[in-house]
Amino acid sequence: MAATESYVPRLKQAYNDELRPQLQEQLGLKSVMQVPRITKVTLNMGVGEAKTEAKVLDAALEELTIIAGQRAQMRKAKKSVAQFKLREGMPIGARVTLRGDRMWEFIDRLISIALPRIRDFRGLNPGSFDGRGNYSLGIREQIIFPEIDYDSINTIRGLDVAITTTAETDEQAEALLRGLGFPLATEELQRG
């Protein structure tokens, strides 16, 4: 039987080897299983223009697929809303949920490549935790990801990134994200 080499993402290896024991000590947890970890990352791109132009949705699905490295799903309206000229079942966006190694790879690319490419970047908002240990951030331009060919896009779109963790409190989640290298801004930077 041939020996197969198993690939482990760089950030996952760092979490398991260094960060997990460090967080257990820092947070005063009894078991290593209590240490917070990231369970999934959800990327969502709303495309309101898709109700009138189908090609816009196709472009958004393709861009989100390229960014995530996994096929994006089309999202449809659950309710009809007259003010927005929206009918139930109309396509209105794209989303993709990343787990496992793809999730770790995306987080690594987000932290080390994409976020530093944001214009006038001063750190992520530490107030974007939801109270249950999950973190959300909005990205205004999809072109910060190097996978996107700048010349081939027709419109600059934003996307939402939701990071779901097993942390019980926002403080535990913040310690986890800071340990992974997320550039969370300090309170002084946010005011200035």
Side-chain angles (χ1 to χ4, degrees):
M1 194 172 198
T4 57
E5 214 174 296
S6 61
Y7 169 73
V8 178
R10 180 177 68 106
L11 202 59
K12 182 179 182 181
Q13 187 77 44
Y15 171 76
N16 288 330
D17 294 347
E18 301 162 22
L19 185 61
R20 208 169 190 183
Q22 181 184 331
L23 280 174
Q24 182 180 0
E25 184 181 314
Q26 179 184 339
L27 299 172
L29 302 171
K30 294 178 184 174
S31 170
V32 74
M33 296 306 287
Q34 291 177 309
V35 176
R37 65 184 184 282
I38 297 177
T39 55
K40 68 180 177 178
V41 173
T42 308
L43 307 174
N44 180 39
M45 188 181 281
V47 188
E49 312 93 60
K51 63 185 175 223
T52 57
E53 212 174 318
K55 289 183 181 179
V56 175
L57 182 68
D58 293 339
L61 281 167
E62 185 181 327
E63 288 169 8
L64 200 57
T65 299
I66 290 170
I67 289 169
Q70 180 176 312
R71 182 81 178 124
Q73 294 178 308
M74 181 190 339
R75 305 306 296 155
K76 295 186 177 189
K78 293 181 181 178
K79 284 187 191 177
S80 297
V81 182
Q83 289 98 336
F84 299 121
K85 296 180 182 170
L86 189 66
R87 299 285 163 253
E88 184 177 340
M90 280 181 144
I92 55 168
R95 80 149 186 219
V96 63
T97 302
L98 301 172
R99 290 184 170 88
D101 288 351
R102 282 193 184 135
M103 171 191 74
W104 287 106
E105 287 294 335
F106 174 78
I107 292 170
D108 197 7
R109 283 186 293 124
L110 179 71
I111 295 168
S112 55
I113 299 170
L115 290 178
R117 292 176 59 157
I118 294 176
R119 211 172 316 142
D120 298 330
F121 184 67
R122 295 186 180 191
L124 298 173
N125 183 2
S128 292
F129 288 95
D130 68 350
R132 289 185 232 112
N134 304 316
Y135 188 77
S136 298
L137 69 118
I139 296 174
R140 288 195 181 110
E141 301 173 334
Q142 83 276 32
I143 56 174
I144 64 167
F145 291 95
E147 298 89 12
I148 299 292
D149 181 26
Y150 187 80
D151 298 328
S152 68
I153 62 164
N154 52 6
T155 309
I156 291 187
R157 284 187 203 86
L159 65 135
D160 301 318
V161 179
I163 300 166
T164 308
T165 68
T166 60
E168 295 173 8
T169 64
D170 289 348
E171 291 75 29
Q172 287 183 354
E174 186 174 345
L176 169 66
L177 294 184
R178 283 191 192 277
L180 288 172
F182 274 81
L184 296 172
T186 57
E187 297 299 323
E188 299 86 45
L189 273 174
Q190 287 294 312
R191 279 183 261 140

